[in-house]
Amino acid sequence: MRIRKAVLPVAGLGTRILPATKVVPKELLPLVDKPTLQYIVEEAVEAGIEEIIFVTSHSKHAIEDHFDRFSELEQTLERKGKKKELAAVRRPQELAKFMAVRQSEPLGLGHAILCAREAVGNEPFAVLLGDEITPCLPKMLEVFEKYQTSVLALFQTPREQISSYGIASVEEKEPYVYQVKDLVEKPSIEEAPSDLAVAGRYIVTPDIFPILERTKPGRGGEIQFTDALLEQAHQGKCYGIHYTGSRLDMGTPLGLLTTSIELGLQHPEIGPALREYIKDVLQRQR
């Protein structure tokens, strides 16, 4: 089956970036000239996703608004002949079909995905977390088409960061493609089965939903998505790709800043001036 839908869990409070996220959803914090979440949606659409399902909370109405029409603004821009700005404002709503479901309580990533069950239906789907840009879906889709199992994105993490991620125990099936045998959530360096960490990109088969329903709350009273994936792995139904490309993490203030700088340097209009500015700053600080 072709992957048509993607679930984007966006109900979190963004506590690692407070106070910037007190009233502005972290997913709408700007990276150069677009909100963070738009980059994630564009990443999904470029991989062939047609429908985006946001899992939101009561404080995240602005996310839905960004991907909806703003008639008054569009009419103003059109009247003033600002065609470039008008196209930029209209682009988000034209990317895909959007819908939102509500996560009424912050009960973890597994619970957020379970909230999307009715919207997803009985078909495989993608899950993209909104605090990183990791454009690896095309390769993940290839692996899914071959093995018809859930697929995780894995990246090699420095030893000192192992305790911050879910770590996979794997068996190589082909170059950069593994069968996932086990998953350990945030282990110590000594307990870690490898240095392959789970990135925020997943292809998931629909049998994950009954597994999530019977998954008992873990740390912090939350339903851990990793626990459900672990059950699939023990059934031989979970694979992973070793992603070695660019991965931009916006989950911390430093990550948000460095990501914005990197994307700004790539921007055709902003890049040259930004590069000169950085050179000037570095010279003044010597």
Side-chain angles (χ1 to χ4, degrees):
M1 295 180 66
R2 190 166 65 86
I3 308 295
R4 303 184 305 112
K5 299 179 180 180
V7 174
L8 276 62
V10 292
L13 296 175
T15 54
R16 290 190 295 172
I17 315 181
L18 285 170
T21 53
K22 180 180 178 181
V23 294
V24 178
K26 69 174 183 178
E27 296 84 4
L28 295 185
L29 293 175
L31 292 172
V32 191
D33 56 353
K34 292 186 292 189
T36 299
L37 189 59
Q38 186 170 329
Y39 286 91
I40 312 300
V41 171
E42 290 174 351
E43 178 186 326
V45 171
E46 287 171 7
I49 298 298
E50 299 170 359
E51 184 173 337
I52 302 292
I53 302 163
F54 296 124
V55 182
T56 68
S57 66
H58 67 89
S59 62
K60 297 295 186 83
H61 294 291
I63 289 175
E64 297 172 57
D65 291 343
H66 178 73
F67 292 93
D68 198 0
R69 289 202 63 184
F70 189 169
S71 299
E72 182 181 354
L73 176 59
E74 291 179 25
Q75 291 169 6
T76 299
L77 294 172
E78 192 165 17
R79 186 173 63 252
K80 294 183 176 181
K82 296 188 174 184
K83 297 180 180 180
K84 180 180 176 181
E85 291 81 357
L86 179 61
V89 167
R90 285 178 171 169
R91 176 168 168 73
Q93 70 202 38
E94 297 169 348
L95 287 168
K97 178 182 177 182
F98 297 97
M99 69 175 302
V101 298
R102 180 71 64 87
Q103 184 183 22
S104 56
E105 297 180 81
L107 297 179
L109 178 57
H111 179 260
I113 293 169
L114 189 57
C115 289
R117 181 175 191 173
E118 185 174 342
V120 170
N122 190 34
E123 60 182 279
F125 60 102
V127 176
L128 292 85
L129 303 190
D131 54 6
E132 63 179 73
I133 297 174
T134 308
C136 56
L137 275 183
K139 178 61 178 178
M140 296 177 70
L141 292 170
E142 288 180 18
V143 174
F144 170 77
E145 289 173 5
K146 183 173 183 177
Y147 294 100
Q148 295 293 301
T149 67
S150 292
V151 182
L152 314 182
L154 305 172
F155 68 98
Q156 197 164 21
T157 185
R159 282 174 55 84
E160 63 272 14
Q161 296 180 18
I162 279 177
S163 61
S164 299
Y165 296 97
I167 303 297
S169 173
V170 299
E171 177 184 327
E172 188 172 20
K173 292 297 182 180
E174 54 186 278
Y176 298 100
V177 177
Y178 307 96
Q179 184 174 357
V180 177
K181 296 293 188 178
D182 202 359
L183 291 166
V184 183
E185 187 66 27
K186 298 181 179 179
S188 66
I189 294 175
E190 295 74 23
E191 296 172 330
S194 74
D195 61 356
L196 291 176
V198 180
R201 298 292 180 270
Y202 312 83
I203 300 293
V204 192
T205 51
D207 58 309
I208 199 74
F209 290 122
I211 297 174
L212 284 168
E213 279 192 325
R214 62 175 180 266
T215 298
K216 296 180 180 180
R219 185 184 305 171
E222 297 184 344
I223 297 175
Q224 301 294 334
F225 187 38
T226 303
D227 291 344
L229 293 170
L230 178 59
E231 184 169 329
Q232 287 190 328
H234 288 169
Q235 296 170 358
K237 297 179 180 179
C238 187
Y239 276 65
I241 67 160
H242 182 184
Y243 177 67
T244 59
S246 171
R247 178 176 175 270
L248 303 176
D249 188 345
M250 299 91 72
T252 64
L254 177 60
L256 189 70
L257 178 61
T258 55
T259 297
S260 196
I261 291 171
E262 183 159 343
L263 293 174
L265 290 171
Q266 298 170 13
H267 196 287
E269 297 178 7
I270 298 172
L274 177 59
R275 191 170 288 105
E276 291 303 315
Y277 172 76
I278 292 173
K279 288 179 182 178
D280 181 58
V281 170
L282 293 175
Q283 287 176 355
R284 285 189 277 113
Q285 291 184 349
R286 286 175 181 172

